[in-house]
Amino acid sequence: MGPEPDSNVSSSSLKITKLPKLKDDGSNWGTYKDLAMNAIVAKGLRRHVTGTVRVPPTLEERDGEFFLPNRLAPLSEDELEAHEDKLDEYLQKQAQVRQIIYETVSEATFMRIKTQPNAQLMIIALTNIFENKGEMVQMDTLTRLQTMPCLADDDVVKHITEMQRLKEALAAMGAPITDHAFSTYIKASLPDDFRPLLSTISSTSRMTGRTLTSDALIDPVLGQG
Protein backbone atom coordinates (compact mmCIF):
# COMPACT_ATOMS: atom_id res chain seq x y z
CA MET A 1 0.00 0.00 0.00
CA GLY A 2 1.11 3.58 -0.45
CA PRO A 3 2.29 5.85 -3.23
CA GLU A 4 4.61 4.84 -6.04
CA PRO A 5 8.34 4.91 -5.15
CA ASP A 6 10.22 8.13 -5.93
CA SER A 7 11.61 7.75 -9.43
CA ASN A 8 14.94 9.13 -8.21
CA VAL A 9 15.41 6.18 -5.85
CA SER A 10 16.79 3.05 -7.50
CA SER A 11 14.81 -0.15 -7.24
CA SER A 12 17.80 -1.89 -5.62
CA SER A 13 17.89 0.69 -2.82
CA LEU A 14 14.20 0.05 -2.12
CA LYS A 15 14.49 -3.72 -2.00
CA ILE A 16 13.15 -4.59 1.43
CA THR A 17 14.04 -7.63 3.48
CA LYS A 18 10.91 -9.70 3.97
CA LEU A 19 8.95 -7.92 6.67
CA PRO A 20 5.63 -8.92 8.21
CA LYS A 21 2.55 -6.86 7.48
CA LEU A 22 1.55 -4.80 10.49
CA LYS A 23 -1.88 -6.01 11.59
CA ASP A 24 -4.52 -3.37 12.20
CA ASP A 25 -5.28 -4.78 15.66
CA GLY A 26 -1.63 -4.27 16.67
CA SER A 27 -1.23 -7.90 17.69
CA ASN A 28 2.18 -8.19 15.98
CA TRP A 29 3.37 -4.66 16.78
CA GLY A 30 6.33 -5.76 18.95
CA THR A 31 7.75 -8.07 16.31
CA TYR A 32 6.98 -5.65 13.49
CA LYS A 33 8.64 -2.72 15.25
CA ASP A 34 11.87 -4.65 15.88
CA LEU A 35 12.10 -6.01 12.32
CA ALA A 36 11.19 -2.70 10.65
CA MET A 37 13.74 -0.78 12.71
CA ASN A 38 16.38 -3.41 11.93
CA ALA A 39 15.69 -2.98 8.20
CA ILE A 40 15.92 0.81 8.56
CA VAL A 41 19.24 0.61 10.42
CA ALA A 42 20.63 -1.95 7.97
CA LYS A 43 20.03 0.51 5.13
CA GLY A 44 21.90 3.29 6.92
CA LEU A 45 18.72 5.28 7.60
CA ARG A 46 18.80 5.38 11.41
CA ARG A 47 19.32 9.14 11.68
CA HIS A 48 16.23 9.75 9.59
CA VAL A 49 14.01 8.19 12.27
CA THR A 50 15.90 9.47 15.31
CA GLY A 51 15.78 13.06 14.07
CA THR A 52 19.56 13.57 14.18
CA VAL A 53 20.01 13.92 10.43
CA ARG A 54 20.94 17.40 9.21
CA VAL A 55 18.27 18.78 6.86
CA PRO A 56 19.75 20.85 4.01
CA PRO A 57 18.63 24.47 4.40
CA THR A 58 16.09 26.00 2.02
CA LEU A 59 17.76 28.30 -0.48
CA GLU A 60 16.57 31.80 -1.25
CA GLU A 61 16.41 32.88 -4.90
CA ARG A 62 17.11 36.51 -5.77
CA ASP A 63 17.40 37.75 -9.32
CA GLY A 64 18.21 34.29 -10.64
CA GLU A 65 20.88 33.55 -8.03
CA PHE A 66 20.65 31.33 -4.95
CA PHE A 67 21.61 32.20 -1.40
CA LEU A 68 21.91 30.29 1.85
CA PRO A 69 19.94 31.83 4.71
CA ASN A 70 21.86 34.69 6.35
CA ARG A 71 24.55 34.60 3.66
CA LEU A 72 25.18 37.70 1.57
CA ALA A 73 27.14 36.11 -1.27
CA PRO A 74 25.32 33.92 -3.76
CA LEU A 75 26.28 30.28 -4.18
CA SER A 76 28.73 29.43 -6.92
CA GLU A 77 27.75 26.81 -9.48
CA ASP A 78 29.81 24.19 -7.63
CA GLU A 79 28.29 25.15 -4.27
CA LEU A 80 24.78 25.02 -5.71
CA GLU A 81 25.45 21.61 -7.24
CA ALA A 82 26.82 20.29 -3.92
CA HIS A 83 23.80 21.64 -2.06
CA GLU A 84 21.37 20.03 -4.51
CA ASP A 85 23.22 16.71 -4.23
CA LYS A 86 22.83 16.83 -0.44
CA LEU A 87 19.15 17.67 -0.77
CA ASP A 88 18.60 14.80 -3.22
CA GLU A 89 20.35 12.38 -0.87
CA TYR A 90 18.27 13.56 2.08
CA LEU A 91 14.97 13.25 0.18
CA GLN A 92 15.91 9.85 -1.23
CA LYS A 93 16.67 8.45 2.22
CA GLN A 94 13.47 9.94 3.60
CA ALA A 95 11.62 8.20 0.77
CA GLN A 96 13.32 4.89 1.57
CA VAL A 97 12.14 4.99 5.19
CA ARG A 98 8.62 5.84 4.07
CA GLN A 99 8.65 3.03 1.51
CA ILE A 100 9.63 0.45 4.13
CA ILE A 101 6.61 1.50 6.21
CA TYR A 102 4.17 2.06 3.33
CA GLU A 103 4.76 -1.44 1.94
CA THR A 104 4.11 -3.11 5.30
CA VAL A 105 0.99 -1.36 6.62
CA SER A 106 -2.65 -1.52 5.60
CA GLU A 107 -4.37 1.16 3.56
CA ALA A 108 -6.20 2.35 6.67
CA THR A 109 -2.93 2.84 8.56
CA PHE A 110 -1.28 4.45 5.54
CA MET A 111 -4.04 7.05 5.39
CA ARG A 112 -3.41 7.93 9.06
CA ILE A 113 0.34 8.50 8.75
CA LYS A 114 0.94 9.67 5.17
CA THR A 115 0.62 13.39 5.94
CA GLN A 116 3.50 13.45 8.42
CA PRO A 117 6.14 15.88 7.10
CA ASN A 118 9.16 13.65 7.70
CA ALA A 119 10.14 10.07 8.44
CA GLN A 120 10.78 10.65 12.13
CA LEU A 121 7.30 12.08 12.74
CA MET A 122 5.78 9.27 10.67
CA ILE A 123 7.42 6.65 12.90
CA ILE A 124 6.27 8.54 16.01
CA ALA A 125 2.69 8.63 14.66
CA LEU A 126 2.81 4.91 13.92
CA THR A 127 4.11 4.17 17.42
CA ASN A 128 1.40 6.31 19.02
CA ILE A 129 -1.26 4.37 17.14
CA PHE A 130 -0.01 0.85 17.88
CA GLU A 131 2.06 0.82 21.06
CA ASN A 132 -0.85 0.67 23.52
CA LYS A 133 -3.03 -1.28 21.10
CA GLY A 134 -0.44 -4.06 20.83
CA GLU A 135 0.01 -4.24 24.60
CA MET A 136 -3.75 -4.55 25.14
CA VAL A 137 -4.04 -7.38 22.60
CA GLN A 138 -1.16 -9.21 24.30
CA MET A 139 -2.79 -8.78 27.70
CA ASP A 140 -6.16 -10.00 26.46
CA THR A 141 -4.60 -13.03 24.75
CA LEU A 142 -2.57 -13.99 27.81
CA THR A 143 -5.58 -13.57 30.11
CA ARG A 144 -7.66 -15.79 27.87
CA LEU A 145 -4.96 -18.46 27.84
CA GLN A 146 -4.61 -18.34 31.63
CA THR A 147 -8.32 -18.56 32.37
CA MET A 148 -9.99 -20.60 29.62
CA PRO A 149 -11.70 -23.66 31.18
CA CYS A 150 -12.28 -27.06 29.66
CA LEU A 151 -15.62 -28.27 30.97
CA ALA A 152 -16.42 -31.94 31.50
CA ASP A 153 -18.39 -32.22 28.27
CA ASP A 154 -16.00 -30.12 26.14
CA ASP A 155 -13.87 -31.54 23.33
CA VAL A 156 -10.40 -31.80 24.91
CA VAL A 157 -8.65 -31.91 21.53
CA LYS A 158 -10.25 -28.64 20.46
CA HIS A 159 -9.49 -27.12 23.85
CA ILE A 160 -5.78 -28.00 23.74
CA THR A 161 -5.56 -26.92 20.11
CA GLU A 162 -6.99 -23.50 21.00
CA MET A 163 -4.52 -23.14 23.87
CA GLN A 164 -1.65 -23.96 21.51
CA ARG A 165 -2.95 -21.37 19.05
CA LEU A 166 -3.02 -18.70 21.76
CA LYS A 167 0.52 -19.63 22.84
CA GLU A 168 1.76 -19.27 19.27
CA ALA A 169 -0.10 -15.97 18.91
CA LEU A 170 1.72 -14.58 21.95
CA ALA A 171 5.06 -15.66 20.51
CA ALA A 172 4.19 -13.95 17.22
CA MET A 173 3.45 -10.75 19.18
CA GLY A 174 6.92 -10.86 20.69
CA ALA A 175 5.57 -11.95 24.09
CA PRO A 176 6.35 -15.69 24.32
CA ILE A 177 5.54 -17.67 27.45
CA THR A 178 7.71 -20.43 28.88
CA ASP A 179 6.87 -24.08 28.31
CA HIS A 180 6.58 -24.49 32.10
CA ALA A 181 3.96 -21.72 32.27
CA PHE A 182 2.06 -23.25 29.36
CA SER A 183 1.99 -26.63 31.10
CA THR A 184 0.66 -24.95 34.25
CA TYR A 185 -2.14 -23.26 32.28
CA ILE A 186 -3.10 -26.57 30.68
CA LYS A 187 -3.30 -28.36 34.02
CA ALA A 188 -5.32 -25.56 35.59
CA SER A 189 -7.79 -25.56 32.70
CA LEU A 190 -8.71 -29.25 32.83
CA PRO A 191 -11.79 -30.60 34.65
CA ASP A 192 -11.60 -32.66 37.84
CA ASP A 193 -11.83 -35.94 35.89
CA PHE A 194 -8.21 -35.38 34.83
CA ARG A 195 -6.81 -34.90 38.36
CA PRO A 196 -5.75 -38.56 38.86
CA LEU A 197 -3.99 -38.58 35.48
CA LEU A 198 -2.24 -35.28 36.19
CA SER A 199 -1.09 -36.59 39.58
CA THR A 200 0.35 -39.70 37.95
CA ILE A 201 2.12 -37.67 35.26
CA SER A 202 3.67 -35.33 37.85
CA SER A 203 4.78 -38.23 40.06
CA THR A 204 6.40 -40.01 37.13
CA SER A 205 8.23 -36.82 36.18
CA ARG A 206 9.62 -36.41 39.70
CA MET A 207 10.67 -40.06 39.97
CA THR A 208 12.49 -40.05 36.64
CA GLY A 209 14.02 -36.62 37.18
CA ARG A 210 12.74 -35.48 33.82
CA THR A 211 11.27 -32.05 33.26
CA LEU A 212 7.57 -32.24 32.51
CA THR A 213 7.26 -30.56 29.12
CA SER A 214 3.98 -29.48 27.63
CA ASP A 215 4.29 -32.18 24.95
CA ALA A 216 4.77 -34.86 27.62
CA LEU A 217 1.66 -33.53 29.36
CA ILE A 218 -0.51 -33.14 26.29
CA ASP A 219 -0.04 -36.66 24.87
CA PRO A 220 -1.57 -38.59 27.81
CA VAL A 221 -4.26 -35.91 28.31
CA LEU A 222 -5.42 -36.32 24.74
CA GLY A 223 -5.20 -40.09 25.17
CA GLN A 224 -7.62 -39.95 28.07
CA GLY A 225 -9.83 -37.33 26.41
Side-chain angles (χ1 to χ4, degrees), residues 40-219:
I40 288 169
V41 172
K43 290 181 177 294
L45 305 171
R46 178 189 60 82
R47 292 189 298 162
H48 287 262
V49 298
T50 61
T52 56
V53 67
R54 183 173 297 232
V55 183
T58 301
L59 299 181
E60 300 174 5
E61 183 178 2
R62 306 177 208 148
D63 298 326
E65 294 189 295
F66 294 90
F67 297 77
L68 288 169
N70 302 319
R71 175 172 162 174
L72 297 178
L75 296 179
S76 67
E77 287 295 325
D78 289 343
E79 288 174 328
L80 179 59
E81 187 70 22
H83 177 275
E84 291 301 287
D85 285 344
K86 288 181 180 179
L87 180 59
D88 284 343
E89 181 183 6
Y90 170 80
L91 293 176
Q92 287 171 3
K93 289 186 175 182
Q94 284 278 310
Q96 289 180 58
V97 175
R98 288 180 178 275
Q99 201 66 20
I100 289 173
I101 303 304
Y102 290 165
E103 292 190 0
T104 54
V105 300
S106 69
E107 182 174 4
T109 298
F110 167 73
M111 296 301 292
R112 297 179 67 180
I113 65 174
K114 69 173 185 173
T115 58
Q116 295 300 325
N118 59 55
Q120 181 197 18
L121 293 178
M122 186 189 69
I123 296 293
I124 290 174
L126 195 66
T127 301
N128 289 339
I129 293 169
F130 286 99
E131 193 74 36
N132 291 335
K133 184 184 289 189
E135 290 176 359
M136 289 303 298
V137 173
Q138 289 178 21
M139 187 184 307
D140 290 345
T141 303
L142 179 59
T143 299
R144 185 178 174 193
L145 179 60
Q146 291 172 328
T147 60
M148 61 183 297
C150 180
L151 303 179
D153 57 349
D154 285 346
D155 186 323
V156 177
V157 174
K158 289 183 178 180
H159 173 77
I160 296 295
T161 299
E162 177 62 10
M163 294 191 76
Q164 290 172 322
R165 186 191 70 78
L166 293 174
K167 177 177 179 288
E168 291 174 0
L170 285 168
M173 295 177 203
I177 62 171
T178 66
D179 189 70
H180 175 73
F182 186 51
S183 298
T184 300
Y185 301 152
I186 292 174
K187 288 186 285 186
S189 74
L190 295 172
D192 290 342
D193 292 349
F194 284 85
R195 299 306 170 200
L197 174 63
L198 295 178
S199 179
T200 299
I201 295 172
S202 296
S203 296
T204 301
S205 176
R206 287 194 298 270
M207 291 174 60
T208 59
R210 295 180 179 176
T211 300
L212 180 59
T213 65
S214 60
D215 288 339
L217 173 64
I218 289 171
D219 286 344

